[in-house]
Coordinates of all heavy atoms in Angstrom, one line a residue:
T1 N -87.0 19.0 -35.3 CA -86.4 20.3 -35.2 C -86.4 20.9 -36.6 O -86.0 20.3 -37.6 CB -85.0 20.2 -34.7 OG1 -85.0 19.6 -33.4 CG2 -84.4 21.6 -34.6
S2 N -86.8 22.1 -36.7 CA -86.8 22.9 -38.0 C -85.4 23.1 -38.4 O -84.5 23.4 -37.5 CB -87.5 24.2 -37.8 OG -87.3 25.1 -38.9
P3 N -85.0 23.0 -39.7 CA -83.6 23.2 -40.1 C -83.1 24.6 -39.7 O -82.0 24.8 -39.4 CB -83.7 23.1 -41.6 CG -84.8 22.2 -41.9 CD -85.8 22.5 -40.8
S4 N -84.0 25.6 -39.6 CA -83.6 26.9 -39.2 C -83.2 27.0 -37.7 O -82.6 28.0 -37.3 CB -84.7 28.0 -39.5 OG -85.9 27.7 -38.7
Q5 N -83.6 26.0 -36.9 CA -83.3 26.0 -35.5 C -82.1 25.1 -35.2 O -81.8 24.9 -34.0 CB -84.5 25.6 -34.7 CG -85.7 26.5 -34.8 CD -86.9 26.0 -34.1 OE1 -87.0 24.8 -33.9 NE2 -87.9 26.9 -33.9
T6 N -81.4 24.6 -36.2 CA -80.2 23.8 -35.9 C -79.0 24.6 -35.7 O -79.0 25.8 -36.1 CB -80.0 22.8 -37.1 OG1 -79.7 23.6 -38.3 CG2 -81.2 21.9 -37.3
L7 N -78.0 24.1 -35.1 CA -76.8 24.8 -34.8 C -76.1 25.4 -36.0 O -75.8 26.6 -35.9 CB -75.8 23.9 -34.0 CG -74.5 24.6 -33.5 CD1 -74.9 25.8 -32.6 CD2 -73.6 23.7 -32.9
P8 N -76.0 24.7 -37.1 CA -75.4 25.4 -38.3 C -76.2 26.6 -38.7 O -75.6 27.6 -39.0 CB -75.4 24.3 -39.4 CG -75.4 23.0 -38.6 CD -76.2 23.3 -37.4
S9 N -77.5 26.5 -38.7 CA -78.3 27.7 -39.2 C -78.2 28.8 -38.2 O -78.0 30.0 -38.6 CB -79.8 27.3 -39.3 OG -80.0 26.4 -40.4
I10 N -78.2 28.6 -36.9 CA -78.0 29.6 -35.9 C -76.6 30.2 -36.0 O -76.5 31.5 -36.0 CB -78.2 29.0 -34.5 CG1 -79.7 28.6 -34.3 CG2 -77.8 30.0 -33.4 CD1 -80.0 27.8 -33.1
T11 N -75.6 29.4 -36.3 CA -74.3 29.9 -36.5 C -74.2 30.8 -37.6 O -73.6 31.9 -37.5 CB -73.3 28.7 -36.7 OG1 -73.4 27.8 -35.6 CG2 -71.9 29.2 -36.9
F12 N -74.7 30.5 -38.8 CA -74.7 31.3 -40.0 C -75.5 32.6 -39.8 O -75.2 33.6 -40.4 CB -75.0 30.5 -41.2 CG -73.9 29.5 -41.5 CD1 -74.3 28.2 -41.7 CD2 -72.6 29.9 -41.6 CE1 -73.3 27.2 -41.9 CE2 -71.6 28.9 -41.9 CZ -72.0 27.6 -42.0
D13 N -76.6 32.5 -39.1 CA -77.4 33.7 -38.8 C -76.6 34.7 -38.0 O -76.6 35.9 -38.3 CB -78.7 33.3 -38.1 CG -79.8 32.7 -39.0 OD1 -79.6 32.8 -40.2 OD2 -80.8 32.2 -38.5
L14 N -75.9 34.2 -37.0 CA -75.1 35.0 -36.2 C -74.0 35.6 -37.0 O -73.7 36.8 -36.9 CB -74.5 34.2 -35.0 CG -73.6 34.9 -34.1 CD1 -74.2 36.1 -33.4 CD2 -73.0 34.0 -33.0
L15 N -73.3 34.8 -37.8 CA -72.2 35.3 -38.7 C -72.8 36.4 -39.6 O -72.2 37.5 -39.8 CB -71.6 34.2 -39.5 CG -70.6 34.6 -40.5 CD1 -69.4 35.2 -39.8 CD2 -70.1 33.3 -41.3
G16 N -74.0 36.2 -40.2 CA -74.6 37.2 -41.1 C -74.9 38.5 -40.4 O -74.6 39.6 -40.9
S17 N -75.4 38.4 -39.1 CA -75.7 39.6 -38.4 C -74.4 40.4 -38.1 O -74.4 41.6 -38.2 CB -76.3 39.2 -37.0 OG -77.6 38.7 -37.2
C18 N -73.3 39.7 -37.7 CA -72.0 40.3 -37.5 C -71.5 41.0 -38.7 O -71.0 42.2 -38.7 CB -71.0 39.3 -37.0 SG -71.4 38.7 -35.3
L19 N -71.6 40.3 -39.9 CA -71.1 40.9 -41.1 C -72.0 42.1 -41.5 O -71.4 43.1 -42.0 CB -71.2 39.9 -42.2 CG -70.1 38.8 -42.1 CD1 -70.4 37.7 -43.1 CD2 -68.7 39.3 -42.3
M20 N -73.3 42.1 -41.3 CA -74.1 43.2 -41.6 C -73.8 44.4 -40.7 O -73.7 45.6 -41.2 CB -75.6 42.9 -41.4 CG -76.2 41.9 -42.4 SD -76.2 42.6 -44.1 CE -77.4 43.8 -43.9
D21 N -73.5 44.2 -39.4 CA -73.1 45.3 -38.5 C -71.7 45.9 -39.0 O -71.6 47.1 -39.0 CB -72.9 44.7 -37.1 CG -74.2 44.4 -36.4 OD1 -75.3 44.9 -37.0 OD2 -74.2 43.8 -35.4
M22 N -70.8 45.0 -39.5 CA -69.5 45.5 -40.0 C -69.7 46.3 -41.2 O -69.0 47.3 -41.4 CB -68.6 44.3 -40.2 CG -68.1 43.6 -39.0 SD -67.2 42.1 -39.3 CE -65.7 42.7 -40.0
A23 N -70.7 46.0 -42.1 CA -70.9 46.7 -43.3 C -71.5 48.1 -42.9 O -71.2 49.1 -43.5 CB -71.8 46.0 -44.2
K24 N -72.4 48.1 -42.0 CA -73.1 49.3 -41.5 C -72.0 50.3 -40.9 O -72.2 51.5 -41.1 CB -74.2 49.1 -40.5 CG -75.4 48.4 -41.1 CD -76.4 48.1 -40.1 CE -77.6 47.4 -40.6 NZ -78.6 46.9 -39.6
K25 N -71.0 49.8 -40.3 CA -70.0 50.6 -39.7 C -68.9 50.9 -40.7 O -67.9 51.7 -40.3 CB -69.4 49.9 -38.5 CG -70.4 49.8 -37.3 CD -69.7 49.0 -36.1 CE -70.7 48.9 -35.0 NZ -70.2 48.3 -33.8
G26 N -69.0 50.4 -41.9 CA -67.9 50.7 -42.9 C -66.7 49.9 -42.8 O -65.7 50.2 -43.5
I27 N -66.7 48.8 -42.0 CA -65.5 48.0 -41.8 C -65.3 47.1 -43.1 O -64.2 46.9 -43.5 CB -65.6 47.1 -40.5 CG1 -65.7 48.0 -39.3 CG2 -64.5 46.1 -40.4 CD1 -66.0 47.3 -38.0
V28 N -66.4 46.7 -43.6 CA -66.3 46.0 -44.9 C -67.3 46.6 -45.8 O -68.3 47.2 -45.4 CB -66.7 44.4 -44.8 CG1 -65.6 43.7 -44.0 CG2 -68.0 44.2 -44.2
S29 N -67.1 46.5 -47.1 CA -68.0 47.2 -48.1 C -69.2 46.3 -48.3 O -69.1 45.0 -48.1 CB -67.3 47.4 -49.4 OG -67.0 46.2 -50.1
E30 N -70.3 46.9 -48.7 CA -71.5 46.1 -49.0 C -71.3 45.2 -50.2 O -71.8 44.1 -50.3 CB -72.7 47.0 -49.3 CG -73.2 47.7 -48.0 CD -74.5 48.4 -48.2 OE1 -75.3 47.9 -49.1 OE2 -74.8 49.3 -47.5
E31 N -70.4 45.6 -51.1 CA -70.1 44.8 -52.3 C -69.4 43.5 -51.9 O -69.7 42.4 -52.3 CB -69.2 45.6 -53.3 CG -68.8 44.8 -54.5 CD -67.9 45.7 -55.4 OE1 -68.4 46.7 -55.9 OE2 -66.8 45.3 -55.6
T32 N -68.4 43.7 -50.9 CA -67.7 42.5 -50.4 C -68.7 41.6 -49.7 O -68.6 40.4 -49.8 CB -66.6 42.9 -49.5 OG1 -65.7 43.7 -50.2 CG2 -65.8 41.7 -48.9
L33 N -69.5 42.2 -48.9 CA -70.5 41.4 -48.1 C -71.5 40.6 -49.1 O -71.7 39.4 -48.9 CB -71.3 42.3 -47.2 CG -72.4 41.6 -46.4 CD1 -71.8 40.6 -45.4 CD2 -73.2 42.7 -45.6
D34 N -71.9 41.3 -50.1 CA -72.8 40.7 -51.1 C -72.2 39.5 -51.8 O -72.8 38.6 -52.3 CB -73.4 41.7 -52.1 CG -74.4 42.6 -51.4 OD1 -74.9 42.3 -50.3 OD2 -74.6 43.7 -52.0
S35 N -70.8 39.6 -52.0 CA -70.1 38.5 -52.7 C -69.7 37.4 -51.8 O -69.2 36.4 -52.3 CB -68.9 39.1 -53.5 OG -67.9 39.5 -52.5
F36 N -69.9 37.5 -50.5 CA -69.4 36.5 -49.6 C -70.3 35.2 -49.7 O -71.6 35.3 -49.7 CB -69.5 37.0 -48.2 CG -68.9 36.1 -47.1 CD1 -67.6 35.8 -47.0 CD2 -69.8 35.5 -46.2 CE1 -67.1 35.0 -46.1 CE2 -69.3 34.6 -45.2 CZ -67.9 34.4 -45.2
N37 N -69.7 34.0 -49.7 CA -70.5 32.8 -49.9 C -69.7 31.7 -49.2 O -68.5 31.6 -49.3 CB -70.7 32.5 -51.4 CG -71.5 31.3 -51.6 OD1 -72.4 30.9 -50.8 ND2 -71.3 30.6 -52.7
I38 N -70.5 30.9 -48.4 CA -69.9 29.7 -47.8 C -70.7 28.5 -48.3 O -71.7 28.2 -47.9 CB -70.0 29.7 -46.3 CG1 -69.3 31.0 -45.7 CG2 -69.4 28.5 -45.7 CD1 -69.5 31.2 -44.2
P39 N -70.1 27.8 -49.3 CA -70.8 26.6 -49.9 C -70.6 25.4 -49.1 O -69.6 24.7 -49.1 CB -70.2 26.5 -51.3 CG -68.8 27.0 -51.1 CD -68.9 28.1 -50.1
I40 N -71.6 25.1 -48.2 CA -71.5 24.0 -47.3 C -72.8 23.1 -47.5 O -73.9 23.7 -47.6 CB -71.4 24.5 -45.8 CG1 -70.1 25.2 -45.6 CG2 -71.5 23.3 -44.9 CD1 -69.9 25.7 -44.2
Y41 N -72.6 21.8 -47.5 CA -73.7 20.9 -47.5 C -73.5 19.8 -46.5 O -72.4 19.2 -46.5 CB -73.9 20.3 -48.9 CG -75.0 19.3 -48.9 CD1 -76.3 19.7 -48.9 CD2 -74.7 17.9 -49.0 CE1 -77.4 18.7 -48.9 CE2 -75.7 17.0 -49.0 CZ -77.0 17.4 -49.0 OH -78.0 16.4 -49.0
Y42 N -74.4 19.6 -45.6 CA -74.2 18.6 -44.5 C -75.1 17.4 -45.0 O -76.3 17.5 -45.2 CB -74.8 19.0 -43.2 CG -73.9 20.2 -42.6 CD1 -74.4 21.5 -42.7 CD2 -72.8 19.9 -42.0 CE1 -73.6 22.5 -42.2 CE2 -72.0 21.0 -41.4 CZ -72.5 22.3 -41.5 OH -71.7 23.3 -41.0
T43 N -74.4 16.2 -45.1 CA -75.1 15.0 -45.5 C -75.8 14.4 -44.3 O -75.3 14.5 -43.2 CB -74.2 14.0 -46.2 OG1 -73.2 13.6 -45.2 CG2 -73.5 14.5 -47.4
S44 N -76.8 13.6 -44.6 CA -77.4 12.8 -43.5 C -76.6 11.6 -43.4 O -75.8 11.2 -44.3 CB -78.8 12.5 -43.9 OG -78.8 11.6 -45.0
P45 N -76.7 10.9 -42.3 CA -76.0 9.6 -42.2 C -76.3 8.6 -43.3 O -75.4 7.9 -43.8 CB -76.4 9.0 -40.8 CG -76.8 10.3 -40.0 CD -77.4 11.2 -41.0
Q46 N -77.5 8.6 -43.8 CA -77.9 7.7 -44.9 C -77.2 8.2 -46.2 O -76.8 7.3 -46.9 CB -79.5 7.8 -45.1 CG -80.2 7.2 -43.9 CD -80.4 8.2 -42.7 OE1 -80.1 9.4 -42.9 NE2 -80.9 7.7 -41.6
E47 N -77.2 9.4 -46.4 CA -76.5 9.9 -47.7 C -75.0 9.6 -47.6 O -74.4 9.2 -48.6 CB -76.7 11.4 -47.8 CG -78.1 11.8 -48.2 CD -78.2 13.3 -48.2 OE1 -77.8 14.0 -47.2 OE2 -78.8 13.9 -49.1
F48 N -74.4 9.8 -46.4 CA -73.0 9.5 -46.3 C -72.7 8.0 -46.5 O -71.8 7.6 -47.3 CB -72.5 9.9 -44.9 CG -71.1 9.6 -44.6 CD1 -70.1 10.4 -45.2 CD2 -70.7 8.5 -43.9 CE1 -68.7 10.1 -45.0 CE2 -69.3 8.2 -43.6 CZ -68.4 9.0 -44.2
G49 N -73.5 7.1 -45.9 CA -73.4 5.7 -46.1 C -73.6 5.3 -47.6 O -72.8 4.4 -48.1
A50 N -74.5 5.9 -48.2 CA -74.7 5.5 -49.7 C -73.5 6.0 -50.5 O -73.1 5.3 -51.4 CB -76.0 6.2 -50.2
A51 N -72.9 7.1 -50.2 CA -71.8 7.6 -50.9 C -70.6 6.7 -50.7 O -69.8 6.4 -51.7 CB -71.4 9.0 -50.5
V52 N -70.4 6.2 -49.5 CA -69.3 5.3 -49.2 C -69.5 4.0 -50.0 O -68.6 3.4 -50.6 CB -69.2 5.0 -47.7 CG1 -68.2 3.9 -47.4 CG2 -68.7 6.3 -47.0
E53 N -70.8 3.5 -50.0 CA -71.1 2.2 -50.7 C -70.8 2.4 -52.2 O -70.3 1.5 -52.8 CB -72.5 1.8 -50.4 CG -72.8 1.4 -49.0 CD -72.0 0.1 -48.6 OE1 -71.9 -0.8 -49.4 OE2 -71.6 0.1 -47.4
R54 N -71.3 3.5 -52.8 CA -71.1 3.8 -54.2 C -69.6 3.8 -54.6 O -69.2 3.4 -55.6 CB -71.7 5.1 -54.6 CG -73.2 5.0 -54.9 CD -73.7 6.2 -55.6 NE -73.3 7.5 -55.0 CZ -74.0 8.1 -54.0 NH1 -75.1 7.6 -53.6 NH2 -73.5 9.3 -53.5
N55 N -68.8 4.4 -53.7 CA -67.4 4.5 -53.9 C -66.7 3.1 -54.1 O -65.8 2.9 -54.9 CB -66.7 5.3 -52.8 CG -65.2 5.4 -53.0 OD1 -64.5 4.5 -52.6 ND2 -64.8 6.5 -53.5
G56 N -67.1 2.2 -53.2 CA -66.6 0.8 -53.3 C -65.2 0.6 -52.7 O -64.8 -0.5 -52.6
C57 N -64.5 1.6 -52.3 CA -63.1 1.5 -51.7 C -63.1 1.3 -50.2 O -62.1 0.9 -49.7 CB -62.3 2.7 -52.1 SG -62.0 2.8 -53.9
F58 N -64.3 1.6 -49.6 CA -64.4 1.5 -48.1 C -65.6 0.8 -47.8 O -66.6 0.7 -48.5 CB -64.4 2.9 -47.5 CG -63.2 3.8 -47.9 CD1 -63.2 4.7 -49.0 CD2 -62.0 3.6 -47.2 CE1 -62.1 5.4 -49.3 CE2 -60.9 4.4 -47.5 CZ -61.0 5.3 -48.6
S59 N -65.7 0.4 -46.5 CA -66.9 -0.1 -45.9 C -67.1 0.5 -44.6 O -66.2 0.9 -43.9 CB -66.9 -1.6 -45.8 OG -65.9 -2.0 -44.9
I60 N -68.4 0.6 -44.2 CA -68.7 1.2 -42.9 C -69.0 0.1 -41.9 O -69.9 -0.7 -42.1 CB -69.9 2.2 -43.0 CG1 -69.6 3.3 -43.9 CG2 -70.3 2.7 -41.6 CD1 -70.7 4.3 -44.2
E61 N -68.2 0.1 -40.8 CA -68.4 -0.9 -39.8 C -69.4 -0.4 -38.7 O -70.1 -1.1 -38.1 CB -67.1 -1.3 -39.2 CG -66.2 -2.1 -40.1 CD -64.9 -2.6 -39.4 OE1 -64.8 -2.6 -38.2 OE2 -64.0 -2.9 -40.2
S62 N -69.3 0.9 -38.5 CA -70.1 1.5 -37.5 C -70.3 3.0 -37.8 O -69.3 3.7 -38.2 CB -69.4 1.4 -36.1 OG -70.2 2.1 -35.1
L63 N -71.5 3.5 -37.7 CA -71.8 4.9 -38.0 C -72.7 5.4 -36.9 O -73.8 4.9 -36.7 CB -72.5 5.0 -39.3 CG -72.8 6.4 -39.8 CD1 -71.5 7.3 -40.0 CD2 -73.6 6.4 -41.1
E64 N -72.2 6.5 -36.2 CA -73.0 7.0 -35.1 C -72.8 8.5 -34.9 O -71.8 9.0 -35.3 CB -72.7 6.3 -33.8 CG -71.2 6.4 -33.3 CD -70.9 5.6 -32.1 OE1 -70.5 4.4 -32.3 OE2 -71.0 6.1 -31.0
N65 N -73.8 9.2 -34.3 CA -73.6 10.6 -34.0 C -72.9 10.7 -32.7 O -73.2 9.9 -31.7 CB -75.0 11.3 -33.9 CG -75.6 11.4 -35.2 OD1 -74.9 11.7 -36.2 ND2 -76.9 11.3 -35.3
L66 N -71.9 11.5 -32.6 CA -71.2 11.7 -31.3 C -72.0 12.6 -30.4 O -72.6 13.6 -30.9 CB -69.8 12.3 -31.6 CG -68.9 11.5 -32.5 CD1 -67.6 12.2 -32.8 CD2 -68.6 10.2 -31.8
P67 N -71.9 12.4 -29.1 CA -72.6 13.3 -28.2 C -72.1 14.7 -28.2 O -70.9 14.8 -28.4 CB -72.5 12.6 -26.8 CG -71.3 11.7 -27.0 CD -71.2 11.3 -28.4
R68 N -72.9 15.6 -27.9 CA -72.4 17.0 -27.8 C -72.1 17.5 -26.4 O -72.3 18.7 -26.1 CB -73.5 17.9 -28.5 CG -73.7 17.6 -29.9 CD -74.8 18.5 -30.5 NE -74.9 18.3 -31.9 CZ -75.7 19.0 -32.7 NH1 -76.4 20.0 -32.2 NH2 -75.8 18.8 -33.9
V69 N -71.7 16.6 -25.6 CA -71.3 17.1 -24.2 C -69.9 16.5 -23.9 O -69.4 15.6 -24.5 CB -72.3 16.5 -23.2 CG1 -73.7 17.1 -23.4 CG2 -72.4 15.0 -23.2
S70 N -69.3 17.2 -22.9 CA -68.0 16.7 -22.5 C -68.1 15.4 -21.8 O -69.1 14.9 -21.4 CB -67.3 17.8 -21.7 OG -68.1 17.9 -20.5
A71 N -66.9 14.8 -21.5 CA -66.8 13.6 -20.8 C -67.6 13.6 -19.4 O -68.2 12.6 -19.0 CB -65.4 13.2 -20.6
N72 N -67.5 14.7 -18.7 CA -68.2 14.8 -17.4 C -69.6 15.3 -17.6 O -70.3 15.5 -16.6 CB -67.4 15.7 -16.5 CG -67.3 17.1 -16.9 OD1 -68.0 17.5 -17.9 ND2 -66.5 17.9 -16.3
G73 N -70.1 15.5 -18.8 CA -71.5 15.8 -19.0 C -71.9 17.3 -18.7 O -73.0 17.6 -18.6
T74 N -70.9 18.2 -18.6 CA -71.2 19.5 -18.2 C -71.1 20.6 -19.3 O -71.2 21.8 -19.0 CB -70.3 20.0 -17.0 OG1 -68.9 19.9 -17.5 CG2 -70.5 19.0 -15.8
T75 N -70.9 20.2 -20.5 CA -70.7 21.2 -21.5 C -72.1 21.9 -21.8 O -73.1 21.3 -22.1 CB -70.2 20.6 -22.9 OG1 -69.0 20.0 -22.6 CG2 -70.1 21.6 -23.9
S76 N -72.1 23.2 -21.6 CA -73.3 24.0 -21.9 C -73.5 24.2 -23.3 O -72.6 24.0 -24.1 CB -73.2 25.3 -21.1 OG -72.3 26.2 -21.8
R77 N -74.7 24.6 -23.7 CA -74.9 24.9 -25.1 C -74.0 26.1 -25.6 O -73.5 26.0 -26.7 CB -76.4 25.3 -25.3 CG -76.8 25.6 -26.7 CD -78.3 25.9 -26.8 NE -78.7 26.3 -28.1 CZ -79.2 25.5 -29.0 NH1 -79.4 24.2 -28.7 NH2 -79.6 26.0 -30.2
A78 N -73.8 27.0 -24.8 CA -72.9 28.2 -25.1 C -71.4 27.7 -25.3 O -70.8 28.1 -26.3 CB -72.9 29.2 -24.0
Q79 N -71.0 26.8 -24.5 CA -69.6 26.2 -24.6 C -69.5 25.4 -25.9 O -68.5 25.5 -26.6 CB -69.3 25.4 -23.4 CG -69.0 26.2 -22.2 CD -68.9 25.2 -21.0 OE1 -69.6 24.3 -20.8 NE2 -67.9 25.5 -20.1
F80 N -70.6 24.6 -26.2 CA -70.6 23.8 -27.4 C -70.5 24.7 -28.6 O -69.8 24.5 -29.6 CB -71.8 22.9 -27.5 CG -71.8 22.1 -28.7 CD1 -71.0 21.0 -28.9 CD2 -72.7 22.4 -29.7 CE1 -71.0 20.3 -30.1 CE2 -72.8 21.7 -30.9 CZ -71.9 20.6 -31.1
F81 N -71.4 25.8 -28.6 CA -71.4 26.7 -29.7 C -70.1 27.4 -29.9 O -69.6 27.5 -31.1 CB -72.5 27.8 -29.4 CG -72.7 28.8 -30.5 CD1 -73.4 28.5 -31.6 CD2 -72.1 30.1 -30.4 CE1 -73.5 29.4 -32.7 CE2 -72.3 31.0 -31.4 CZ -73.0 30.6 -32.6
A82 N -69.4 27.8 -28.9 CA -68.1 28.4 -29.0 C -67.1 27.5 -29.5 O -66.3 27.8 -30.4 CB -67.6 29.0 -27.6
S83 N -67.1 26.2 -29.1 CA -66.2 25.2 -29.6 C -66.5 24.9 -31.1 O -65.5 24.8 -31.8 CB -66.4 23.9 -28.8 OG -65.6 22.9 -29.3
H84 N -67.7 24.9 -31.5 CA -68.1 24.7 -32.9 C -67.5 25.8 -33.7 O -67.0 25.6 -34.8 CB -69.6 24.6 -33.0 CG -70.1 24.4 -34.4 ND1 -70.0 23.2 -35.1 CD2 -70.6 25.3 -35.2 CE1 -70.5 23.4 -36.3 NE2 -70.9 24.7 -36.4
M85 N -67.6 27.0 -33.3 CA -67.2 28.2 -34.0 C -65.6 28.2 -34.2 O -65.1 28.6 -35.2 CB -67.6 29.5 -33.4 CG -69.1 29.7 -33.5 SD -69.7 29.8 -35.2 CE -68.9 31.2 -35.8
R86 N -64.9 27.7 -33.1 CA -63.5 27.7 -33.2 C -63.1 26.7 -34.3 O -62.1 26.8 -34.9 CB -62.9 27.3 -31.9 CG -62.9 28.4 -30.9 CD -62.1 28.0 -29.6 NE -62.6 28.8 -28.6 CZ -63.3 28.4 -27.5 NH1 -63.6 27.1 -27.4 NH2 -63.8 29.2 -26.6

């Protein structure tokens, strides 16, 4: 999957579009919009494990990605997206 097609990228593209619309309507200034920044970095499981090992205070017994569906398996992509945004 291309990084631009991942949920975080789609989320920030949507947020950017909303902010641009707000600036066009005069709700926020373009100066405020241009100064907006969300410094986020998502580590890979390998990077996370290496950081824990370097720290030396903890050890990892198990590392796994959690499923993106509810217990009954019915969470839609839209529901997951809304939950992620909340």
Side-chain angles (χ1 to χ4, degrees):
T1 302
S2 166
S4 65
Q5 295 175 341
T6 62
L7 184 61
S9 292
I10 293 168
T11 301
F12 292 125
D13 284 346
L14 177 60
L15 177 61
S17 294
C18 291
L19 290 172
M20 290 296 292
D21 288 345
M22 291 172 70
K24 288 177 186 174
K25 293 180 179 182
I27 298 170
V28 296
S29 70
E30 286 191 29
E31 181 180 297
T32 300
L33 180 62
D34 289 342
S35 68
F36 185 72
N37 185 25
I38 302 176
I40 294 177
Y41 175 75
Y42 295 99
T43 63
S44 68
Q46 294 81 11
E47 289 172 314
F48 180 76
V52 170
E53 293 295 323
R54 276 193 312 272
N55 177 277
C57 294
F58 303 96
S59 63
I60 298 174
E61 293 182 19
S62 175
L63 182 64
E64 60 186 89
N65 288 324
L66 298 175
R68 295 182 176 184
V69 295
S70 65
N72 63 9
T74 61
T75 301
S76 71
R77 184 176 173 95
Q79 288 170 319
F80 177 75
F81 181 78
S83 176
H84 177 77
M85 291 302 293
R86 284 189 204 110

